[in-house]
Amino acid sequence: MKKKVLTTTIATGLMAAGVLTTQNPASAKADTVPTGDNATSTNEVATQESDAKTIAQNNVNTAQTNLDKSKADTQNASDSLQQAKVNETTAQKAVDEQTGKVSDAQNNVDKAQADVTTAQNGLTAAQENAKNATETNIQAAKDNVATQEQNVATAQEQVKQANDGVAEQTNKVDDAQKAVNDAQKNTSAAQADVTTAQKTVDDAKAAMDPANVQATVDAANKAEAQVNQDKQNVATAQNNLDNAKAADATRQTNIDNAQKAVNTAQANVDFSTKQAQEMKDQFNKYQGIKDAAQKEVDGLNDKLSNVNTITISDVEAYKKAFNDWYTGSKRGENWTEEDKNFLNDFMNSNTYKGNAADKNITVDINHLTADQIKELSLFSADLLNQVRNQLGLPKVIVTEGSLKLAKDVTDNYVSDNWDKFDHDVDGISRAAAENGLLSGGNFYEDAIFSSDFSEASTMDDLKSILYTGIVTMIGGSGDEMLHAAGLLGVDFGDDISTGKEQYFSAGTSMFPIKEDQMWITKMGHFFNVSKDYIRDSAKFSTTEVPGTSTEDLVTQLNTAKAKLASATDALNKAKDADTQAQQILAKNKVELTTAQDNLTKAQNVPVQTEIAQKALTDVQNKLAADTKINEDAQAKKEAALGDEAAKQKVLDQANANLATAQKALTDAQAKQKAAENNLSAEKAKLASLQQVANEKTQDVKAAQVALDDAKNKLATLENALLLVKAAEDKLAAAQKALDPVENVLVSEKAKLSALKQDLADAQADVTTAQKNYDEKLAIQTKAQTDLDNAKKVLQAIYNREALEAQIAAQEKAREEAEKNGYHVDGNKVVDENGNQVSNWTVKNGQIIDNKGKVVSGLTINKAGAVVNKTGQQINSKDVVDNLQANKRTQAPVVQSKVAGKTYVSTVVVPEKAKANALPQTGEKESKTTLVGAILVGLGSLVGLFGLGRKKEY
């Protein structure tokens, strides 16, 4: 037996986890070593494994220490963030409560103002009424009241008369309805009498019909014959039941034998199912990693597809247009039509993408929050940096100082009540001085004006204005490039290739323009601060405000795509391992299906006892029922053979009674019809009277309204002076009540403004704390990942050691099987000397004879040994030679006695020339099947080992 040496390497796994090792990289390429050098190679491998394990354990310890420290840092940052959020919540609650107070105060003002307006209108009406309160008008009003009172009395009398007529007619309708009901009862009773009399006649006629008499006699004879037949059927059914019970006993024996075969096949399926599930779990794990990577790529692609971009189609053409404007004795005189057309195309080809989410965010354009200014500034900076990047210019940076400058300048526009189509230079200069910057002029602001008749604005509106501002200014809007130079950081007259890094921010404001007419104008501000304009660095913070730019998204997308490629490769490898495991499982399932089919066939043999028992019960029940029918038929037979004269007398009387009942029914139907016609006529009269009564009732209501109106007019004229005095008092009271609520409103608004500033400060604190927490959490996440990777490497080493032990055990079992007796080699059966048993082959894990039948009583165990029912391996000593073999073509037939049964096989001794030949490709396939399955399973679990190819020497 030749010794097979297998070596493994963990270098690949360790490097994949980012852990340095002392192992010689050359060892990772070694497939096998010669048998003679086995001891030395084993010692080297053992030393390398020990070093790798020590390094891996040290890496785990270091990673755990780093993780513990980062967790503590993260917790501290989390505590700070939570406190900042509590402060923000408190500030927000105060703002909300104060907003409610402002709303209540405004409601009170609105109500008080409405009361003043109502009181003023009431006084005007009272004064007009006083002018009309003459003696003549008062007397006319009194006369009109008397007339309306008489009209009401007349209408009320007419209503009474109409209602009396309705009541009388209602009584007549009730009487007519009662008459109809009585007539219907009489008709129903008469119909029932006719039906009863007709049945009596029919029964009497039937009794006298000779044919009916004979039929009754015949039915009685037939019923008696059926009872006799039922008794014979019961005896037959009892015999069938006895035979069915014997057949079912045989059926159960066949089912028990088939079930045993199913149990054996099921055990094999369970074992391979467990291995297949392990492979499937690993495949699903890598599928999840790949799906997550794909989701990240898709998400970034979606973000980029919704990002607003500004693109210069021809950078050189833009630079030419920019430089052409500054050359010559007069700016713009060298601007060509080509330049103008290019810039015009630039502005037309770059358009703003609307954002559905931003359209739902309303903003106070003159009082933006700190977060809103930050969002608009980062949005504008990203657009501007896209342009600068294409032109090869330094980027702009949004800082805390630039954001404050933006807020201060826009606040000055509002406080200065700015109403001109120009820059508020004084407000800009004041803000610059307050922020430690060069002041005395407009050195910072570019602006765009957007006329609009609506004061309502959303975040999407503001972004649209800022986007349009950058595009039009960069594109030379207004036949000049001064704005472009300012935004691009190029000094006036310099070549566009020069440029400087600047601190940048953006803001907005809104105010009425007063020229020929007034309209609402929205203004977008852009602020570029050069570093050399900073006069007092303590007042201007250059701390960069974090944000995600389009360039950042592109970088993130490229990183995500690399992760996706790596995850896809790992998934493909896991898929291969899963496929192999599934194939082994499928084979065992086929064998289980065959056994289950055999069991199903045995179970599908019909159970006969239950059916036979039911058949016996059915004929027994039929016998009982037919016996009763026979008894009734015999009784009817005796009655049918009775006296004929008596039957005729009964028929005559029945016919007379029927005629009387039919006449009574005709009379009742006629009376019912007459009663129904009378009821219809009385109902018609009642409906007419009710219509008249309803009309009279409406006349009373109209007359009463006219009377009430006349009385009100008379009272108004008679009390005109008092009404004027009451209206004056009411107006004075309303005006007095308005002043204090207006004062309250002013006070509450002032408080709200202060609380909003507190909220803005709290929100800024949350942003800072959130940034710090995110950074600490990112460090903790990385530390956790490092620890996980280090643990995976250490676990991989332990898994590899377990794998080698399992392989060694399997190889030892295989070698023992080869030495001790019959065993499987590929699809052949050989003895302990390596001689092939030619009459036996292996197919689907079973031994098949030369007739294609399964050899009963022998199985193949996991080591490939041929064993009997007791699990003992058979060998040449168990074989008895009964035949002579004289030719090479007729091999000796051998009978082997195993477990009391005889098996016939032929042993073919290999030619001497071939005895020492190396095995051909595939000869040892059966020996490596189980080992290979185990290697695939464990290799997929850790994803780190490379198994060397086995060689024989």
Side-chain angles (χ1 to χ4, degrees):
M1 188 63 59
K2 301 175 180 60
K3 181 67 176 179
K4 288 169 280 293
V5 180
L6 175 66
T7 65
T8 60
T9 175
I10 60 171
T12 302
L14 296 176
M15 292 174 67
V19 180
L20 296 176
T21 74
T22 59
Q23 181 176 336
N24 186 349
S27 66
K29 301 179 180 178
D31 292 329
T32 61
V33 296
T35 305
D37 296 334
N38 187 53
T40 301
S41 298
T42 300
N43 291 335
E44 291 177 353
V45 171
T47 300
Q48 293 167 358
E49 290 176 355
S50 176
D51 291 343
K53 187 186 299 183
T54 299
I55 293 172
Q57 183 62 61
N58 290 339
N59 289 338
V60 169
N61 297 339
T62 300
Q64 182 66 59
T65 300
N66 293 338
L67 176 60
D68 294 340
K69 181 180 182 303
S70 65
K71 282 185 176 180
D73 293 341
T74 301
Q75 184 60 50
N76 292 336
S78 176
D79 294 342
S80 298
L81 175 59
Q82 294 307 315
Q83 184 58 52
K85 287 184 176 180
V86 169
N87 295 341
E88 180 188 23
T89 301
T90 301
Q92 183 64 61
K93 181 179 179 181
V95 168
D96 293 341
E97 292 176 351
Q98 188 60 30
T99 299
K101 292 179 180 179
V102 169
S103 178
D104 293 341
Q106 185 64 59
N107 290 337
N108 293 336
V109 169
D110 294 341
K111 182 178 181 302
Q113 184 61 58
D115 291 343
V116 169
T117 301
T118 301
Q120 183 62 60
N121 294 336
L123 176 58
T124 300
Q127 291 172 339
E128 185 63 26
N129 179 66
K131 295 179 181 178
N132 297 324
T134 63
E135 289 293 333
T136 300
N137 290 339
I138 292 175
Q139 186 57 49
K142 290 180 178 180
D143 294 342
N144 186 40
V145 168
T147 300
Q148 297 304 326
E149 287 175 341
Q150 182 59 46
N151 291 341
V152 169
T154 300
Q156 288 174 338
E157 179 60 29
Q158 292 175 349
V159 167
K160 181 178 180 304
Q161 293 174 359
N163 287 337
D164 290 344
V166 169
E168 181 180 355
Q169 186 60 33
T170 299
N171 292 333
K172 292 181 180 180
V173 169
D174 293 341
D175 292 340
Q177 183 64 60
K178 183 176 182 304
V180 168
N181 295 342
D182 292 342
Q184 288 175 338
K185 291 180 182 179
N186 293 336
T187 299
S188 297
Q191 182 64 61
D193 292 342
V194 168
T195 300
T196 301
Q198 183 63 57
K199 185 176 185 308
T200 302
V201 170
D202 294 340
D203 291 344
K205 288 180 179 181
M208 296 187 66
D209 189 345
N212 289 340
V213 172
Q214 185 58 48
T216 301
V217 173
D218 293 341
N221 294 335
K222 183 178 180 181
E224 185 176 5
Q226 182 61 52
V227 168
N228 293 332
Q229 181 62 46
D230 290 345
K231 292 178 180 179
Q232 294 179 7
N233 293 342
V234 168
T236 300
Q238 182 63 58
N239 184 61
N240 292 340
L241 175 60
D242 295 338
N243 294 334
K245 289 180 178 180
D248 286 348
T250 300
R251 172 183 176 276
Q252 187 60 49
T253 298
N254 294 336
I255 290 175
D256 293 341
N257 292 335
Q259 184 64 59
K260 293 178 181 178
V262 169
N263 294 342
T264 299
Q266 184 64 59
N268 294 334
V269 169
D270 292 342
F271 175 79
S272 56
T273 296
K274 181 179 180 181
Q275 285 191 327
Q277 185 58 51
E278 291 175 354
M279 298 306 99
K280 179 62 68 178
D281 291 343
Q282 289 306 303
F283 174 77
N284 291 337
K285 170 187 174 183
Y286 287 116
Q287 182 69 59
I289 294 173
K290 189 259 185 183
D291 291 344
Q294 184 67 59
K295 183 177 180 181
E296 182 179 5
V297 169
D298 294 342
L300 289 169
N301 279 327
D302 288 342
K303 286 183 179 180
L304 283 170
S305 67
N306 293 321
V307 167
N308 283 281
T309 58
I310 300 177
T311 303
I312 301 176
S313 61
D314 188 338
V315 171
E316 294 305 317
Y318 180 84
K319 289 182 177 180
K320 176 181 178 300
F322 183 95
N323 291 326
D324 285 351
W325 190 83
Y326 281 100
T327 59
S329 59
K330 181 180 180 182
R331 287 173 178 169
E333 68 178 355
N334 290 334
W335 224 351
T336 66
E337 288 300 317
E338 181 183 10
D339 292 335
K340 295 178 181 179
N341 291 336
F342 174 81
L343 293 175
N344 186 56
D345 290 340
F346 166 81
M347 289 187 287
N348 290 334
S349 63
N350 288 286
T351 57
Y352 175 74
K353 294 180 182 178
N355 187 299
D358 286 342
K359 290 179 180 179
N360 294 324
I361 301 176
T362 58
V363 295
D364 182 353
I365 189 171
N366 283 341
H367 300 89
L368 297 180
T369 66
D371 282 345
Q372 290 169 344
I373 292 176
K374 172 184 173 183
E375 181 177 354
L376 294 174
S377 297
L378 291 173
F379 169 81
S380 302
D382 180 52
L383 294 172
L384 187 53
N385 280 333
Q386 291 178 36
V387 176
R388 285 187 169 220
N389 184 56
Q390 294 172 73
L391 296 174
L393 299 175
K395 296 181 179 180
V396 296
I397 302 173
V398 177
T399 68
E400 293 177 356
S402 65
L403 291 180
K404 184 174 184 303
L405 175 65
K407 184 178 188 306
D408 292 345
V409 171
T410 52
D411 286 349
N412 287 346
Y413 269 81
V414 176
S415 62
D416 292 347
N417 294 316
W418 195 253
D419 60 357
K420 300 178 179 61
F421 224 130
D422 199 351
H423 298 282
D424 181 8
V425 177
D426 181 68
I428 297 171
S429 184
R430 295 201 313 272
E434 291 171 359
N435 286 275
L437 302 174
L438 175 66
S439 60
N442 178 19
F443 306 123
Y444 311 97
E445 182 197 65
D446 291 282
I448 181 172
F449 300 84
S450 174
S451 299
D452 194 292
F453 288 101
S454 172
E455 294 186 12
S457 296
T458 67
M459 183 61 73
D460 187 69
D461 294 333
L462 303 192
K463 288 183 178 179
S464 176
I465 293 172
L466 296 175
Y467 179 95
T468 302
I470 292 177
V471 170
T472 55
M473 290 177 183
I474 296 297
S477 174
D479 292 335
E480 55 94 1
M481 298 295 284
L482 294 177
H483 284 293
L487 290 176
L488 297 177
V490 179
D491 289 336
F492 297 154
D494 285 354
D495 187 272
I496 191 173
S497 61
T498 64
K500 63 186 72 175
E501 180 181 273
Q502 295 173 313
Y503 304 123
F504 176 83
S505 57
T508 61
S509 62
M510 180 172 67
F511 46 87
I513 293 296
K514 299 176 182 177
E515 292 185 357
D516 295 338
Q517 57 181 335
M518 178 182 293
W519 70 89
I520 299 300
T521 293
K522 296 177 182 177
M523 183 176 182
H525 308 266
F526 305 95
F527 305 96
N528 284 82
V529 178
S530 298
K531 294 181 179 179
D532 53 353
Y533 281 6
I534 300 176
R535 294 294 181 263
D536 186 350
S537 59
K539 294 182 178 180
F540 187 88
S541 174
T542 58
T543 300
E544 184 175 357
V545 175
T548 302
S549 66
T550 302
E551 184 179 0
D552 293 334
L553 291 177
V554 172
T555 300
Q556 292 174 18
L557 176 60
N558 292 333
T559 301
K561 286 181 177 178
K563 289 169 56 179
L564 175 60
S566 177
T568 301
D569 180 65
L571 176 62
N572 291 334
K573 293 178 180 178
K575 183 178 180 182
D576 292 340
D578 176 59
T579 299
Q580 294 181 41
Q582 297 301 329
Q583 289 172 348
I584 296 173
L585 175 60
K587 168 181 168 296
N588 290 337
K589 284 185 175 180
V590 170
E591 294 175 359
L592 174 60
T593 299
T594 300
Q596 290 173 331
D597 289 342
N598 293 336
L599 175 60
T600 300
K601 290 177 182 178
Q603 292 172 332
N604 287 341
V605 174
V607 177
Q608 302 179 33
T609 300
E610 183 178 356
I611 297 175
Q613 181 63 61
K614 183 178 184 303
L616 174 60
T617 301
D618 289 344
V619 295
Q620 288 174 336
N621 292 338
K622 189 173 188 304
L623 173 60
D626 289 344
T627 299
K628 185 178 185 305
I629 292 173
N630 181 48
E631 293 172 355
D632 293 340
Q634 299 304 323
K636 290 180 180 179
K637 176 180 177 181
E638 293 180 5
L641 298 176
D643 183 57
E644 294 297 327
K647 293 178 182 179
Q648 183 61 50
K649 184 176 180 181
V650 170
L651 175 60
D652 293 340
Q653 183 60 48
N655 283 326
N657 293 341
L658 176 60
T660 301
Q662 287 174 335
K663 182 177 184 307
L665 174 60
T666 300
D667 293 344
Q669 289 172 336
K671 291 180 180 179
Q672 178 181 341
K673 181 63 176 176
E676 290 172 346
N677 292 338
N678 181 59
L679 175 61
S680 297
E682 296 298 341
K683 284 183 176 180
K685 292 179 182 179
L686 176 60
S688 177
L689 291 174
Q690 286 175 331
Q691 177 65 29
V692 172
N694 291 338
E695 293 173 353
K696 296 301 182 182
T697 299
Q698 295 301 319
D699 292 343
V700 170
K701 292 180 180 180
Q704 186 63 53
V705 170
L707 174 59
D708 293 340
D709 183 58
K711 288 181 177 180
N712 289 335
K713 290 180 178 179
L714 175 59
T716 299
L717 292 173
E718 289 178 337
N719 300 292
L721 296 179
L722 293 176
L723 293 175
V724 170
K725 181 63 171 62
E728 290 174 343
D729 294 342
K730 187 175 182 179
L731 176 59
Q735 290 174 332
K736 182 178 180 181
L738 178 60
D739 292 338
V741 294
E742 286 180 334
N743 293 336
V744 171
L745 177 59
V746 172
S747 174
E748 297 297 346
K749 282 185 175 181
K751 293 178 182 177
L752 177 59
S753 179
L755 290 174
K756 283 184 175 180
Q757 184 56 52
D758 292 342
L759 175 60
D761 294 340
Q763 290 171 334
D765 291 342
V766 169
T767 300
T768 301
Q770 183 68 56
K771 176 186 176 183
N772 183 47
Y773 172 73
D774 292 341
E775 292 173 350
K776 293 298 186 292
L777 182 60
I779 294 173
Q780 178 184 329
T781 301
K782 182 180 183 302
Q784 183 66 61
T785 301
D786 292 343
L787 176 59
D788 293 341
N789 289 335
K791 286 182 176 178
K792 287 179 180 177
V793 171
L794 182 59
Q795 186 61 46
I797 296 173
Y798 287 120
N799 290 343
R800 196 280 314 280
E801 292 174 347
L803 168 63
E804 290 179 341
Q806 187 172 1
I807 292 172
Q810 293 294 335
E811 282 297 322
K812 183 177 181 181
R814 172 72 62 183
E815 292 171 357
E816 289 296 321
E818 291 176 353
K819 291 188 300 182
N820 295 333
Y822 278 29
H823 57 276
V824 174
D825 187 357
N827 62 347
K828 298 177 293 185
V829 177
V830 297
D831 65 9
E832 62 270 25
N833 298 317
N835 300 327
Q836 177 185 351
V837 180
S838 65
N839 283 24
W840 286 353
T841 58
V842 178
K843 184 178 181 181
N844 296 329
Q846 295 177 315
I847 301 176
I848 308 298
D849 63 19
N850 58 355
K851 294 183 179 180
K853 297 183 178 180
V854 176
V855 176
S856 177
L858 295 181
T859 57
I860 303 169
N861 67 15
K862 294 181 180 179
V866 179
V867 300
N868 57 23
K869 285 187 175 181
T870 64
Q872 295 178 336
Q873 184 177 9
I874 65 173
N875 54 43
S876 297
K877 295 179 181 180
D878 301 317
V879 179
V880 178
D881 189 1
N882 292 330
L883 299 176
Q884 295 294 328
N886 299 319
K887 298 181 180 179
R888 185 74 177 87
T889 56
Q890 182 179 358
V893 176
V894 177
Q895 293 183 343
S896 56
K897 296 291 185 176
V898 181
K901 294 185 178 181
T902 299
Y903 304 96
V904 178
S905 63
T906 300
V907 177
V908 178
V909 179
E911 296 179 10
K912 185 175 183 180
K914 297 182 180 179
N916 296 324
L918 290 175
Q920 299 300 311
T921 301
E923 285 184 351
K924 300 299 181 181
E925 179 181 0
S926 64
K927 298 180 181 180
T928 60
T929 301
L930 181 59
V931 176
I934 296 174
L935 292 179
V936 169
L938 293 178
S940 297
L941 284 173
V942 299
L944 300 175
F945 292 131
L947 283 176
R949 185 182 303 115
K950 300 173 86 173
K951 295 183 181 179
E952 293 179 313
Y953 293 90

